[in-house]
Amino acid sequence: MAEEQKKAPILRKEEEVIKNLEGFIKPDEDQVVLLLDFDGTLAPLTEELSAMPKDTELNIKKLANNEKVFICVYSGRPLEEIKNHLKLPNVTYAGCHGLEVEYPNGKKFMIEMPEELLNKHKQLVEELKEKVVLHGAWVEDKKISVTYRYKGVNDKLKAKLVEDAKSIIKTHGFQIIETPYALEGKPRVNWDKGVGTNMILEKHFGEDWRNTLKKIIYIGDDTTDEDAMKQLFGIAKTFRVSELPNLKTYGNFQLKTPDDVSYVLKWLQSNYEKKKKN
């Protein structure tokens, strides 16, 4: 059972990442599961899909061709959108935070949400875009939840916009989770990224995955990723990506930016390169 969210050590340098992961895997023995969010984790969070840092792109391509590494890339965007953007073979793609999943062998599954909920979500997104997408604020449509982002808004205009956005989210019956510079509107349903992660691993590795998989790494930047980290508590190395100095998380560690995520991928890939040389 997960403990409460708490402040995690911030790994600011590549050497700190190496120190905290040293000895975690045995490249010639272990099946490694690498679970990665895309927006804000592998690449900067922007309205349109952005490019990964060069080191990240280089190492994830190498890891994707390693039969001992199972990679799943999550996105709040539709499955086809993230798949067409990355074009990586041998990778499992989880669109809409795990509601639509495609494995490398082409096998797919999709979780159907109630029509009533989908309609409510659509109406919420439309009203937010119509009334509070102003002065640099924007709406991230996650197909089941929604995030209103206002980091670029002038301080004098912020308070009114945020209050209006909160009112709209509440009116549509969504739960509000407040984070710095963002409001998350979550539907009141028994589905989150933790449930999705469990399903992805169960369908690929079997119901006993918690006992058979010993080397899992999860990296994500969002409040939705906290649900997955809670699900994986005690059985994975988990990293929350955030620049907030007093962040409370279920993650084991905090990384500050997508550039820092590349340290973890580089460390993992270097283990396999060392093995080849030996």
Side-chain angles (χ1 to χ4, degrees), residues 18 21-23 25 27-28 266-278:
I18 293 168
L21 289 173
E22 200 67 58
I25 64 160
D28 50 347
K266 186 177 176 184
W267 164 83
L268 184 55
Q269 176 56 24
S270 70
N271 275 268
Y272 291 103
E273 288 180 358
K274 277 181 202 166
K275 183 196 163 210
K276 281 180 188 174
K277 289 173 186 173
N278 293 339

Side-chain angles (χ1 to χ4, degrees), residues 53-264:
K54 291 295 180 192
D55 269 4
T56 297
E57 187 175 358
L58 176 71
N59 286 300
I60 202 167
K61 281 180 177 176
K62 289 179 180 177
L63 290 165
N65 287 315
N66 188 331
E67 62 184 19
K68 284 197 172 290
V69 182
F70 171 88
I71 299 178
C72 179
V73 176
Y74 298 79
S75 176
R77 305 174 198 260
L79 187 145
E80 288 302 320
E81 192 176 332
I82 185 66
K83 183 182 167 188
N84 292 336
H85 181 68
L86 283 180
K87 295 184 174 69
L88 288 171
N90 311 318
V91 165
T92 295
Y93 292 98
C96 302
H97 294 309
L99 287 173
E100 344 174 80
V101 177
E102 183 175 338
Y103 293 99
N105 62 5
K107 183 182 173 187
K108 292 184 182 183
F109 74 84
M110 181 180 282
I111 305 301
E112 295 290 349
M113 284 289 129
E115 194 67 32
E116 182 187 0
L117 172 63
L118 294 175
N119 287 334
K120 276 187 178 179
H121 173 268
K122 184 182 176 186
Q123 289 161 10
L124 169 58
V125 170
E126 285 173 355
E127 189 170 351
L128 286 171
K129 285 183 175 179
E130 182 187 333
K131 295 182 177 175
V132 289
V133 172
L134 301 161
H135 314 298
W138 57 285
V139 172
E140 186 183 359
D141 181 357
K142 298 177 178 177
K143 305 307 169 189
I144 179 169
S145 66
V146 61
T147 301
Y148 177 67
R149 299 194 180 275
Y150 54 88
K151 189 173 183 178
V153 178
N154 183 292
D155 286 342
K156 291 178 182 176
L157 305 168
K158 201 173 287 178
K160 173 76 166 65
L161 276 181
V162 171
E163 283 310 307
D164 288 349
K166 279 185 186 176
S167 175
I168 292 167
I169 293 168
K170 280 180 186 172
T171 300
H172 288 272
F174 280 57
Q175 177 189 356
I176 296 174
I177 297 171
E178 293 192 54
T179 62
Y181 309 116
L183 297 174
E184 179 96 19
K186 291 183 80 173
R188 301 179 189 279
V189 293
N190 189 27
W191 175 269
D192 58 41
K193 221 166 178 176
V195 177
T197 295
N198 181 70
M199 195 172 289
I200 288 164
L201 295 178
E202 190 175 286
K203 284 182 179 290
H204 191 76
F205 295 102
E207 291 183 7
D208 200 31
W209 66 266
R210 289 173 177 276
N211 296 315
T212 57
L213 297 176
K214 302 296 181 188
K215 308 299 178 183
I216 304 173
I217 296 171
Y218 187 102
I219 314 177
D221 72 301
D222 202 347
T223 52
T224 56
D225 294 295
E226 290 291 328
D227 296 317
M229 291 179 197
K230 188 176 182 180
Q231 178 79 234
L232 295 167
F233 192 87
I235 55 174
K237 294 280 189 188
T238 53
F239 298 80
R240 175 74 189 271
V241 182
S242 173
E243 296 194 54
L244 297 176
N246 298 306
L247 176 77
K248 289 191 175 177
T249 176
Y250 287 116
N252 301 122
F253 305 102
Q254 182 180 344
L255 300 168
K256 297 199 87 174
T257 67
D259 285 322
D260 297 343
V261 172
S262 69
Y263 299 150
V264 180

